[in-house]
Amino acid sequence: MISVQQLTKRFGEQVAVDGITFEIPAGQIVGFLGPNGAGKSTTLKMLTGMLAPTSGTATICGHDLQSDTLEVKRHVGFVPESGAVFESLTGLEYLEMVAALYAIPEAAARARIEQFIAFFDLSFSTLTDKLLGAYSKGMRRKVVITSALLHNPPVVFFDEPLDGLDANAAVGFKALIQTLAREGKTIVYSSHILDVVERVCDRVLIIDKGRLLLDGKPETLVAESGAGTLERLFTQLTGGTELERRAEDFARTFRP
Amino acid sequence: MTTDASAPAAVSPDRALHRLFLTLFLRGRSSRGLRRNNMPRSVASKLLLTLLAYGCFGCFALAFVQRPVFEISIYLHGMTLLFCGMFIAASSGEILFNKEEADILLHRPVTPQALLRAKLTVLLQVSLWIAGAFNLAGMVAGVLSPNGNALYPLAHALSTVLEAVFCAGGVVLAYELCLRSFGREKLEGIMTTVQVLVAVGTVVAGQLVPRVIGRATFQRGSIGIHPWWFDLLPPAWFAGLDDAITGNGGIRAMTLAVIGVACTSLVAWLALGRMARHYETGMQLLGETTSAVPASQLASRRWLDALVHSPLLSWWLRNPVRRAAFVLVASYLVRDRDVKLRVYPGLAPLLVMPIAFMMPVSQHGADPFGGFGVAFCGAYMGMIPLFALSLLQYSQQWQAGDVFRAAPIPGPALLCAGARQAVTCFITIPLMVFFTAVVYFLRHTSAELPLLLPGLIALPAFTLAPHLGGKAIPFSKAGEEARSARRGLDLFGVILVSISLSLVAIWAWSMGWFHWFLLSEIAVVGVIYTLMRVSLTRAPWPSME
């Protein structure tokens, strides 16, 4: 479903993504992990057609990222970390605008939106009467997730999707993506919340400084490394050594 | 809730994008968190009022009914170019390159060309509303003109549409050329600078060019005897088109019309066709995130650091809160796109007005205002920090201003003082030098330079004014609030004070009492300044309601 070969992105002298290669089949939930500045968001932006790669190739659902970008965009949904929306539109206006960009007929779009409203416990009047600028962060996130799934894409990229969601919505969302994967959708899930990734994902990719460090099933990787948890494995791999001791030392500097 | 089965099929992506950008333009792009519980508001009444104002202003054209068609058209096209240019220059940066938009739209199946087309159509549409409202009365004047006829409204409508296309295409082309010439790494800084320069240039040209055109047109007579450089000005091309269609003007009108149509076609073809791929580059730039700091920003950081640690400023900024506020304001004045686009174009009209007052109206160099222009120039200097500080209270990152309130500072006085110091350093002193040079070069004498003093003496009081009552804390209000009509009223009030001060100064100058006037002014301003400082020092944090 997703095939990435030697994908590289440079910003001037800086190498943000350095020749990463992986394959993701249909129906898999893949956790995409890495510390800040590792190149996760840049990779996701390349795979969604937002950024042109410097070199390397990628195909999504058989469509080449560089030569068939529009077709790739039709087949992916993306929830960006920023959770940006046009705040001067109402939720319904925003979702209908997104539906139009995917050429979804108005009636079908409305029906799909109503399904999401029910799932996320949103009220229809909020969606029609309030500008998105007046929504809470969690409500705005729900609208962004809806807008990513509205066109029923076979591949969905989530960049920190739980940010702002309350506990109930987060539980519902995790169940949603597991069901979507069972229905055959490919999910790429980028997050810093490692215990969620460990529970939800079939497989994890860990990158640091633009390079792919590890690729495998979370339980296998944890067992093979002897780290005990994915969190410990992650900190070992990405240079976060002796974090607890350093934190204790630092906290002691605040003694009166 | 039921689904309406009879609803129409999918809205085309092009139409959806056009509707989106028009809605965003009419409603404004809100700052996050500002619009709690806001319902969508109709902007129809506000828009109608704006268009009505343009329409009323356009009625001045009726004063030219006795003039030939070409002269009426020159006036109308000159002003239309100014209004559309100002609107497009002010809106294009936000509409064409919006950072958050990249995350929302770039992963959708729409091409950058479709985005550009939709945005340009909205810019054109609104420009034409403005142009239509302004030119309505002018069309009547053209019909009633001695060589006008019933064809004039049609001709003028056509030339106005072409002019709007030329104007919008020109601005987009300027961005595309920057992208092509400077590359994506330097784009952000260059784009901001270009936008600031376009906006300042439009405002300055808007004040000065009509005077120049006025002198050339209304004093020389018909089209045949205008100077050669006149043909280089776009309003002349489109006025030539009006003249040619209505059957006046002969070969020169035809030539101007051909130049106008050719230039507009060329600009539109370049902007939407040949150079459009560079827009894609700019859009992708918005999606790029890199931790590398551009060399220009590093240089400005080092330069600011060195300045703050220079002996004079170290002493002047010895209070740490003042120094922090100084660095904050100085950084934003140099780096922040939103602040630069608000402050510098906002100050541009203040720079032009005194110069316009000092420019000789007739070609023989006679100055009907006498030394008033110089005194007015001095008084205007006081308005510069006043308006800069008023504009600096707005920012897209206004919510970050909470950090000031959280700090153990009893009130905003020290922060405001740091902001005043930054404005004095980076805006007021450079412009004082500029104004003094302008006065010297335009008047060819240093004898009238003392007339600048009354304004300079009043400057400290003007500078404190925005902060009275603990107001205008730097970057504490949302950018959207900067559009308040209250600022227009403030401007009017301060202009009245400046004019009064200038009139009294010029009267004292002519009576030979200028020295006494200066001494009295120093005493009065000293008292006012002290009272204002005391009031400001005691001011608490303003309510957050």
Side-chain angles (χ1 to χ4, degrees):
Chain A
M1 191 59 78
I2 302 176
S3 174
V4 177
Q5 299 292 326
Q6 292 297 317
L7 199 65
T8 301
K9 180 67 189 177
R10 290 175 204 277
F11 297 114
E13 294 295 303
Q14 191 195 8
V15 184
V17 178
D18 192 1
I20 59 171
T21 298
F22 58 82
E23 304 265 341
I24 304 177
Q28 204 167 57
I29 307 178
V30 177
F32 197 49
L33 311 177
N36 293 330
K40 298 188 302 292
S41 292
T42 304
T43 307
L44 295 191
K45 282 178 179 174
M46 283 195 283
L47 293 179
T48 50
M50 295 171 72
L51 266 184
T54 310
S55 63
T57 57
T59 57
I60 291 176
C61 302
H63 300 285
D64 184 77
L65 189 62
Q66 305 220 52
S67 61
D68 206 2
T69 315
L70 277 192
E71 227 20 71
V72 167
K73 289 180 177 182
R74 282 193 187 100
H75 286 81
V76 303
F78 181 43
V79 175
E81 187 182 10
S82 67
V85 288
F86 290 117
E87 296 185 8
S88 297
L89 300 186
T90 64
L92 187 65
E93 283 172 338
Y94 178 73
L95 292 172
E96 285 182 340
M97 181 275 294
V98 170
L101 298 183
Y102 291 92
I104 304 173
E106 280 183 34
R110 182 63 71 94
R112 185 70 58 80
I113 291 166
E114 285 170 1
Q115 288 170 351
F116 278 102
I117 291 171
F119 172 71
F120 279 125
D121 282 335
L122 291 168
S123 81
F124 197 75
S125 62
T126 302
L127 215 60
T128 51
D129 298 346
K130 260 185 168 181
L131 296 178
L132 281 163
Y135 283 29
S136 69
K137 195 176 175 184
M139 275 170 66
R140 202 183 289 142
R141 181 63 70 172
K142 289 173 184 175
V143 171
V144 174
I145 292 171
T146 305
S147 77
L149 297 173
L150 208 53
H151 58 294
N152 196 13
V155 177
V156 193
F157 296 93
F158 292 102
D159 199 354
E160 294 293 354
L162 298 184
D163 187 22
L165 290 186
D166 60 36
N168 289 334
V171 168
F173 173 76
K174 282 180 266 181
L176 172 71
I177 61 168
Q178 285 173 318
T179 313
L180 289 175
R182 279 199 293 277
E183 298 293 321
K185 291 197 191 305
T186 305
I187 313 279
V188 178
Y189 186 106
S190 173
S191 176
H192 291 292
I193 310 170
L194 298 185
D195 52 343
V196 174
V197 172
E198 200 170 0
R199 267 184 284 133
V200 168
C201 298
D202 308 315
R203 176 181 161 198
V204 290
L205 301 173
I206 300 181
I207 69 165
D208 191 19
K209 300 186 178 82
R211 291 190 177 169
L212 191 60
L213 300 181
L214 215 59
D215 178 356
K217 289 188 170 186
E219 58 275 15
T220 315
L221 294 175
V222 170
E224 282 175 358
S225 64
T229 62
L230 185 62
E231 195 173 73
R232 279 197 186 280
L233 172 63
F234 179 83
T235 53
Q236 280 171 13
L237 279 170
T238 56
T241 52
E242 299 182 310
L243 286 175
E244 285 96 345
R245 191 187 57 76
R246 282 162 59 194
E248 284 165 14
D249 289 348
F250 179 61
R252 283 193 198 101
T253 64
F254 292 96
R255 278 181 184 162
Chain B
M1 276 187 316
T2 53
T3 301
D4 181 5
S6 63
V11 177
S12 80
D14 283 348
R15 227 180 110 200
L17 286 174
H18 178 261
R19 199 161 62 186
L20 164 72
F21 292 122
L22 188 61
T23 309
L24 289 178
F25 172 78
L26 293 174
R27 287 190 194 157
R29 294 175 194 247
S30 76
S31 298
R32 184 158 292 179
L34 181 68
R35 296 183 161 192
R36 289 265 159 238
N37 304 317
N38 244 7
M39 305 274 283
R41 279 176 304 186
S42 166
V43 291
S45 56
K46 218 187 248 180
L47 185 69
L48 276 176
L49 272 176
T50 307
L51 295 180
L52 194 66
Y54 276 110
C56 291
F57 190 54
C59 289
F60 278 115
L62 293 171
F64 304 137
V65 283
Q66 295 306 316
R67 313 294 303 190
V69 159
F70 184 76
E71 291 182 12
I72 295 171
S73 293
I74 272 282
Y75 165 75
L76 292 175
H77 282 300
M79 296 309 287
T80 303
L81 198 68
L82 165 69
F83 292 140
C84 290
M86 280 175 69
F87 159 69
I88 291 169
S91 315
S92 57
E94 178 74 1
I95 290 183
L96 292 177
F97 298 101
N98 183 280
K99 202 152 191 161
E100 289 210 323
E101 187 182 292
D103 266 359
I104 305 171
L105 290 178
L106 280 191
H107 56 92
R108 313 282 181 197
V110 284
T111 59
Q113 285 82 357
L115 282 177
L116 179 62
R117 225 174 18 245
K119 291 171 179 187
L120 204 57
T121 314
V122 170
L123 282 175
L124 261 177
Q125 187 174 345
V126 182
S127 299
L128 286 173
W129 291 346
I130 293 170
F134 174 73
N135 284 283
L136 214 56
M139 289 183 184
V140 176
V143 174
L144 298 176
S145 160
N147 62 343
N149 55 43
L151 273 177
Y152 185 79
L154 186 70
H156 191 66
L158 175 69
S159 60
T160 304
V161 171
L162 282 178
E163 191 175 25
V165 172
F166 175 79
C167 202
V171 172
V172 172
L173 189 59
Y175 281 112
E176 288 168 343
L177 284 171
C178 282
L179 279 157
R180 189 186 168 188
S181 308
F182 302 107
R184 61 177 71 185
E185 285 80 18
K186 294 180 186 165
L187 177 74
E188 182 115 4
I190 297 282
M191 235 166 50
T192 309
T193 309
V194 168
Q195 209 182 340
V196 169
L197 288 178
V198 168
V200 171
T202 311
V203 172
V204 170
Q207 297 286 342
L208 296 182
V209 172
R211 288 171 70 92
V212 175
I213 290 179
R215 283 172 63 195
T217 310
F218 296 107
Q219 288 169 21
R220 282 175 182 256
S222 73
I223 186 170
I225 53 169
H226 289 122
W228 64 269
W229 54 263
F230 207 72
D231 295 354
L232 301 177
L233 300 173
W237 309 337
F238 300 110
L241 184 62
D242 287 359
D243 235 11
I245 294 176
T246 49
N248 300 300
I251 191 76
R252 190 157 185 194
M254 289 295 283
T255 311
L256 287 172
V258 169
I259 293 172
V261 173
C263 286
T264 305
S265 310
L266 183 69
V267 163
W269 174 69
L270 285 172
L272 271 172
R274 195 170 168 79
M275 304 285 285
R277 68 192 162 87
H278 296 292
Y279 179 70
E280 185 172 5
T281 311
M283 286 300 288
Q284 287 204 343
L285 173 87
L286 297 177
E288 293 183 359
T289 44
T290 167
S291 53
V293 180
S296 57
Q297 273 201 19
L298 271 180
S300 83
R301 236 184 255 176
R302 287 189 193 126
W303 168 77
L304 188 60
D305 200 45
L307 185 76
V308 170
H309 288 95
S310 65
L312 183 65
L313 279 187
S314 291
W315 172 80
W316 199 34
L317 300 168
R318 57 196 177 279
N319 180 294
V321 181
R322 277 175 173 232
R323 186 181 9 227
F326 179 94
V327 172
L328 175 73
V329 171
S331 305
Y332 268 66
L333 281 173
V334 178
R335 292 182 207 148
D336 188 78
R337 184 181 181 201
D338 170 60
V339 166
K340 285 200 276 188
L341 284 173
R342 188 173 299 117
V343 172
Y344 300 123
L347 291 177
L350 301 184
L351 301 181
V352 176
M353 280 293 277
I355 298 171
F357 265 91
M358 280 187 294
M359 274 177 71
V361 172
S362 76
Q363 288 189 307
H364 309 293
D367 176 9
F369 302 111
F372 175 77
V374 182
F376 190 54
C377 187
Y380 243 69
M381 277 192 233
M383 291 170 61
I384 287 163
L386 189 146
F387 276 92
L389 288 163
S390 299
L391 292 169
L392 277 167
Q393 67 185 305
Y394 305 105
S395 167
Q396 294 295 335
Q397 291 103 47
W398 62 282
Q399 284 165 318
D402 287 351
V403 73
F404 304 138
R405 290 170 182 272
I409 311 170
L414 288 170
L415 281 170
C416 295
R420 282 198 302 275
Q421 287 169 306
V423 166
T424 304
C425 244
F426 291 96
I427 297 179
T428 313
I429 292 176
L431 289 181
M432 272 165 60
V433 174
F434 169 76
F435 271 133
T436 309
V438 164
V439 170
Y440 182 76
F441 285 114
L442 283 181
R443 312 296 289 192
H444 308 292
T445 173
S446 57
E448 288 178 337
L449 285 180
L451 279 169
L452 291 171
L453 287 173
L456 283 179
I457 292 167
L459 201 139
F462 273 130
T463 311
L464 275 181
H467 290 147
L468 276 182
K471 288 179 186 161
I473 302 166
F475 315 127
S476 61
K477 287 187 178 171
E480 266 204 340
E481 293 181 49
R483 295 174 194 159
S484 156
R486 173 75 201 266
R487 271 183 47 221
L489 287 176
D490 289 351
L491 179 68
F492 188 66
V494 179
I495 287 175
L496 276 183
V497 173
S498 299
I499 290 175
S500 310
L501 182 66
S502 314
L503 284 173
V504 176
I506 202 74
W507 172 75
W509 177 268
S510 63
M511 299 297 285
W513 299 338
F514 193 64
H515 294 91
W516 291 110
F517 167 73
L518 289 182
L519 286 173
S520 319
E521 191 193 356
I522 289 169
V524 172
V525 170
V527 171
I528 293 173
Y529 180 80
T530 310
L531 291 174
M532 287 167 96
R533 274 299 286 266
V534 170
S535 154
L536 179 56
T537 310
R538 289 177 182 166
W541 291 106
S543 162
M544 286 184 85
E545 291 299 311

